[in-house]
Structure formats: C-alpha cells, structure tokens
Amino acid sequence: MKAMRALPFAVCLIVATVPKFAHAAEVVLKAVSAFQEGTYFSRNFESFVKKVNEEGKGIVRIEYIGGPKAIPTMEQGAALRNGVIDLANTTATFTASIVPEGLALNYATLPFSEIRKNGSLDYLNSIMRQKGLYYFARTGDRIPYHIYLNKKIDKPDLSGLKIRITPIFRDFFVKLGAGVVQMAPGEVYTGLERGVVDGYGWPAIGIFDLGWQERTKYRLEPGFYTLELGIQFSARRWDSLTPEQRDFLQKQVAWLEKMSLDASLRDAAADIKRQSEAGIQPIRLSDADSAAFLAKSQEAGWATVLSASPRHGAKLRQMMAP
C-alpha cells in the first residue's frame, strides 16, 4: 500500500521534469557553403558557425558539412527547399531558379541595414517562404562587382568575348554584346586556361582564393551592382525551431552583419591593391561611358526581376532602389 501511495508522487515528479528536459533539448542544424571551405566567401559564415556552437550549447548546434564538394553549389537551393540541409551560406544568385525575386538584393541602392528597417526584407521573405526558403542574415556586403578580362577593351562593349556569368548579370552582359557562359566558381580557372571563357563577372574581392589572378589581366572600372552573400534557411526548418532557438539565432544577426560589413569595406580596398600588385590592370572608362555603363546595368538588372515577377519586382524596386 505504501508503494501504491508513493506512485502518484513519483508520476507527478516525472511529469514535472519533462518540460524542463524538452525545453533544454539541443537542435542540430545541417549547414553547407556555396564556396569552398576556408575561402574568403565562406569565412564569415564559418565564424558564425563557431560562435553559435560555442554559445549555443544545449540550444542550437550547427553541423557544418562543408562546401560544394558536399553538395554542388547550384544544387544547394533545392537541397534547402527539400530539407536535405537546414541552412546555407549562399547567394540569391545561386537560388534564383527557385526565387528569382531574390536577385533584387544585388540591384538595391539602399544599404542592407535600411532594407531590414523599411520592410523590404520582410516582403522578400514573404515570397521566399512560399517557395521553401527564408533569408536569415547577410555575410557579405557593400562590395561592387567588376568585369575581369584577359583581353583588353577600350569601351563598354563585350562583343566577340565569352564571359562567365551568374543570373544577376546575364542580361546586362548580353546587352554589352557578350557571349555568356554559366559555370560554377570551381570551373572558372580551367575555363580561362582553356579559352572556354575570356573573362568573368566577380566582386572586387576573392579572386586570389581561387587562383584566378593567374589568368586575369584586366579589371573594368567602374564597379557595378553590390555583392549579396547571406545565410538562407529551409523555411520549414526555421519554422520548426522553438522560440528560444530562433531568438538565440536572431541575437547573432547584429554581430554577424556588423562583422561582415566591416570586413567587406576593409578587405575590398586591400584586394584591389593586391590585384594591382599581381599585375591586373584597371581599364578606366570615360565619364560618359561610365555613366552609360552603370545606367545600362541597372536597367538590365531590374528588367530581369520584372520579367520573372512583374508585380513583386515592381514593389521590390520601389522599396530597395527608390
């Protein structure tokens, strides 16, 4: 009888402790980068992973499985949407086949901090969520793109040249007369070596990690568009997290985006200097050609978004590039 009377108390004790243990359960998130581990465009993300794993014990742990060797760059968007991975350090360029509206981030004239404040990112995420993705944080910012060449030109005309592109500047380079070739970053060096391409579009930073300076002679000025590099989640996985887990991750955003912006501004200037030292010569357009070049870049960029998504594209342009 004593044992039977003690039973309700024991049951109550067990029940009372269950929420505590459930609350303390640690979630493991599988992550990948669109860029090779340790290279410039993976480093800020890798710092984020390290910080989360050090400070999130018992709440969140990120299992970083690596770069494109784990999952090819152009397949990572589908892997996110289908739940094969939970988050990725990637670009809207690489997920444009799923969410073409994401390309708007590259053509924005407002800084990303303002895009967060004015509701632009929330609007974009309302579109992305419908397609299984969620834009979480920026890991690279305020770095312009350039056209890099191994043949000299004297005006903004790429006729007769084969240029490696990504979706963000496909239409722009076509308007400049280029023959366009899409290939993953890991294939570009060989493409330059074998004459498959005569140049490529790339940010002001990061070519040394890939060895491209060995096959690059010129950088066209001015720069255009803005690098967008960020963390995208599987929307389903993000929504499955507990409020505590989401709050913990959200608290990392301010640190990550400030660190990334500071690094971008500092390192872009250093890399341009390094390019000069490596023998990459700037091709400087006249003021008139520069103005026409930049106007054409914006016209072509936003036309890409508007063509894919007329209603959302117009709204995003109004919000991000007023």
Side-chain angles (χ1 to χ4, degrees):
M1 291 294 292
K2 276 187 178 180
M4 291 182 67
R5 283 198 299 271
L7 186 59
F9 175 77
V11 170
C12 289
L13 182 63
I14 291 169
V15 170
T17 60
V18 167
K20 182 177 179 181
F21 286 117
H23 175 74
E26 181 181 80
V27 66
V28 179
L29 302 174
K30 187 174 290 187
V32 72
S33 178
F35 305 89
Q36 184 178 332
E37 306 98 297
T39 57
Y40 187 84
F41 294 123
S42 287
R43 286 175 202 156
N44 291 342
F45 177 67
E46 289 165 352
S47 295
F48 166 77
V49 170
K50 183 173 183 285
K51 189 171 187 287
V52 166
N53 288 345
E54 287 175 350
E55 299 178 9
K57 289 181 172 60
I59 305 171
V60 177
R61 179 167 64 85
I62 298 175
E63 180 187 350
Y64 179 39
I65 64 173
K69 289 182 180 178
I71 298 176
T73 297
M74 303 307 292
E75 297 176 17
Q76 291 178 10
L80 277 174
R81 182 179 57 182
N82 297 332
V84 176
I85 52 175
D86 301 312
L87 67 155
N89 176 61
T90 187
T91 73
T93 302
F94 296 150
T95 58
S97 61
I98 300 171
V99 192
E101 295 90 348
L103 295 176
L105 290 168
N106 295 278
Y107 314 133
T109 55
L110 294 178
F112 190 69
S113 57
E114 185 60 30
I115 286 170
R116 274 198 178 280
K117 288 178 186 174
N118 73 4
S120 301
L121 186 63
D122 290 337
Y123 185 81
L124 178 60
N125 264 327
S126 71
I127 302 164
M128 293 185 71
R129 280 179 171 277
Q130 294 174 28
K131 301 179 182 183
L133 303 180
Y134 172 70
Y135 199 98
F136 173 70
R138 199 77 165 242
T139 58
D141 202 0
R142 301 283 285 278
I143 299 175
Y145 282 91
H146 287 273
I147 298 173
Y148 294 89
L149 301 164
N150 53 25
K151 296 180 181 178
K152 192 170 186 178
I153 60 174
D154 57 9
K155 57 184 179 179
D157 183 353
L158 300 177
S159 298
L161 299 178
K162 302 182 295 294
I163 307 295
R164 180 264 180 182
I165 55 94
T166 63
I168 63 168
F169 28 70
R170 173 190 293 277
D171 291 348
F172 177 39
F173 288 7
V174 168
K175 280 183 176 291
L176 295 175
V180 296
V181 181
Q182 186 160 325
M183 58 176 65
E187 301 170 4
V188 174
Y189 185 96
T190 302
L192 291 165
E193 186 176 40
R194 296 179 179 175
V196 176
V197 292
D198 303 304
Y200 52 92
W202 196 256
I205 201 164
I207 67 171
F208 292 93
D209 283 336
L210 300 159
W212 296 353
Q213 79 283 357
E214 297 174 7
R215 299 288 169 180
T216 305
K217 295 181 180 179
Y218 305 101
R219 182 189 66 253
L220 186 65
E221 298 283 354
F224 63 99
Y225 299 160
T226 301
L227 169 71
E228 176 279 316
L229 177 66
I231 299 172
Q232 295 184 38
F233 262 86
S234 157
R236 186 167 45 190
R237 186 57 158 149
W238 175 258
D239 290 339
S240 75
L241 300 178
T242 67
E244 180 187 24
Q245 289 160 352
R246 285 198 296 269
D247 287 347
F248 169 76
L249 289 169
Q250 291 282 19
K251 286 176 183 176
Q252 312 301 315
V253 170
W255 167 83
L256 174 61
E257 292 186 344
K258 183 179 186 307
M259 181 267 290
S260 299
L261 177 58
D262 290 347
S264 294
L265 296 174
R266 178 188 69 239
D267 297 341
D271 249 39
I272 290 294
K273 181 181 178 183
R274 190 179 174 194
Q275 288 178 22
S276 178
E277 292 168 350
I280 297 174
Q281 302 173 39
I283 298 173
R284 303 191 189 280
L285 300 176
S286 68
D287 290 347
D289 280 345
S290 292
F293 175 83
L294 292 174
K296 189 175 286 188
S297 74
Q298 281 289 303
E299 177 190 342
W302 282 107
T304 300
V305 179
L306 289 165
S307 175
S309 182
R311 180 170 66 88
H312 293 311
K315 180 69 172 177
L316 289 166
R317 185 173 192 176
Q318 179 186 11
M319 297 179 79
M320 293 185 180

